Amino acid sequence: MSETRYTHDEWSSEQSDATVTVDGHELSVAFWDSADEGEADTANDDPPVVFLHGIPTWSFLWRDVAPAVAEATDRRVIVPDLLGYGNSAMHDGFDRSVRAQELMLRDLLEELEIDEFALVAHDIGGGAAVRYAAHRPDEVTDLVMANAVCYDSWPVDFITNLGLPEVADRDHGAVIGQVEGAFSQGVYAEEADDAFVEGMVAPWDSEEGQTSLSRNAVATNTNHTTEIDYGDISADLLCLWGADDTFQPLEYGERLAEEVGGEVIELDAYHWVVEDRPERFAEEVSQFVSK
């Protein structure tokens, strides 16, 4: 795997921007595109690989994995910031649920003229991913779910509490400290990488960011992953799961693989499996989409 080790400022500087329309709102979406970075053969006809992050992360979560997959597979790799996250739109006045993120993704991919792709998702990105794969099965060739929400596995108390009305007005330092702790104390290693923790916290370290985080948290709607028919998913499925996760237990990945049909690979990792095992994660994804 290439030793990219981006800082969050470096990652942000390499992002592109697009405007999508969701529920009548025109919204800015930031995304990292390997085609802009020379990381993949843009003439390759194989379907691109799209990565979706969760809460309270942003596309920076994939800073090591996405470039490595682009290099290993020679495929175009696209990594958007969900609406309300990272460098995408954060202002008030629009839905940030996984239903809305599904619509955002379709509009973004239409603008990029992509109609078939592999989808890799973590946390609530998985909620948007299973909705997309169930509603548009002809578009998703491969689906990798990594400690991802599905069925009624969510929300969790930590996120629910961030969505309480008073969070938007709570002492800024207290909120940032709470989020920082989730990353610094939530990795498998004895000590978290400083660049990871700083990068994950950065989007929320402002008044707008703190309010957006609260809005994102309150938008975690379990109905959006219980209402879909998982039997409609036809993509090849891999559940690449940090086996020691308490937020999204392994049993949900096993249930998904049994119902949809697919493989479960357990990794020695917690919820932030992408940070805990980036090399193994990139290798497994590259092999799976290249089979």
Side-chain angles (χ1 to χ4, degrees):
M1 188 178 78
S2 297
E3 290 295 330
T4 50
R5 309 308 292 180
Y6 286 88
T7 67
H8 63 89
D9 286 334
E10 290 169 343
W11 181 265
S12 294
S13 71
E14 293 188 359
Q15 288 182 298
S16 299
D17 291 291
T19 299
V20 301
T21 302
V22 175
D23 299 333
H25 299 283
E26 289 192 353
L27 301 166
S28 174
V29 174
F31 61 98
W32 187 90
D33 188 345
S34 65
D36 295 334
E37 307 304 323
E39 294 281 358
D41 180 1
T42 55
N44 191 327
D45 291 331
D46 291 330
V49 184
V50 177
F51 288 82
L52 298 179
H53 65 84
I55 185 171
T57 63
W58 57 298
S59 62
F60 184 66
L61 176 73
W62 304 105
R63 73 193 191 284
D64 292 328
V65 169
V69 170
E71 182 179 13
T73 64
D74 279 335
R75 295 194 188 200
R76 186 180 184 183
V77 169
I78 298 161
V79 195
D81 286 333
L82 298 181
L83 295 173
Y85 296 77
N87 293 304
S88 289
M90 278 196 176
H91 59 272
D92 258 350
F94 61 89
D95 185 14
R96 298 109 183 287
S97 68
V98 298
R99 180 202 66 84
Q101 307 297 354
E102 174 196 2
L103 299 178
M104 173 279 288
L105 183 60
R106 180 59 266 163
D107 215 45
L108 174 63
L109 294 179
E110 283 182 356
E111 181 161 333
L112 298 177
E113 300 183 341
I114 294 170
D115 55 15
E116 189 179 49
F117 59 98
L119 191 50
V120 183
H122 178 258
D123 194 81
I124 68 162
V130 290
R131 287 180 63 88
Y132 201 112
H135 293 152
R136 301 170 179 82
D138 292 341
E139 295 181 27
V140 183
T141 59
D142 303 282
L143 177 62
V144 180
M145 294 280 279
N147 297 74
V149 305
C150 52
Y151 305 107
D152 60 351
S153 71
W154 65 309
V156 297
D157 287 345
F158 168 62
I159 298 302
T160 301
N161 291 339
L162 288 174
L164 295 174
E166 60 266 26
V167 168
D169 300 319
R170 191 184 299 170
D171 176 75
H172 183 68
V175 174
I176 292 300
Q178 185 179 0
V179 175
E180 186 177 77
F183 295 115
S184 62
Q185 299 168 28
V187 296
Y188 208 73
E190 289 186 12
E191 237 178 278
D193 177 44
D194 288 342
F196 168 68
V197 177
E198 292 171 7
M200 288 295 103
V201 172
W204 318 121
D205 196 9
S206 67
E207 182 178 348
E208 181 183 55
Q210 183 170 325
T211 300
S212 189
L213 177 59
S214 178
R215 305 292 188 257
N216 297 340
V218 81
T220 51
N221 187 338
T222 311
N223 293 325
H224 292 164
T225 50
T226 57
E227 69 177 1
I228 62 174
D229 185 347
Y230 287 81
D232 289 340
I233 297 174
S234 62
D236 290 338
L237 173 68
L238 171 64
C239 291
L240 192 52
W241 223 269
D244 296 320
D245 187 4
T246 58
F247 290 127
Q248 296 299 321
L250 178 63
E251 65 193 65
Y252 281 97
E254 293 172 334
R255 177 182 173 185
L256 185 64
E258 181 177 358
E259 184 166 342
V260 174
E263 183 182 4
V264 178
I265 295 179
E266 301 178 31
L267 302 181
D268 293 329
Y270 295 135
H271 184 64
W272 310 124
V273 58
V274 181
E275 178 66 15
D276 286 338
R277 298 286 178 258
E279 292 191 9
R280 175 76 185 282
F281 196 99
E283 290 169 3
E284 294 291 353
V285 170
S286 298
Q287 292 173 12
F288 181 68
V289 302
S290 301
K291 62 188 182 303

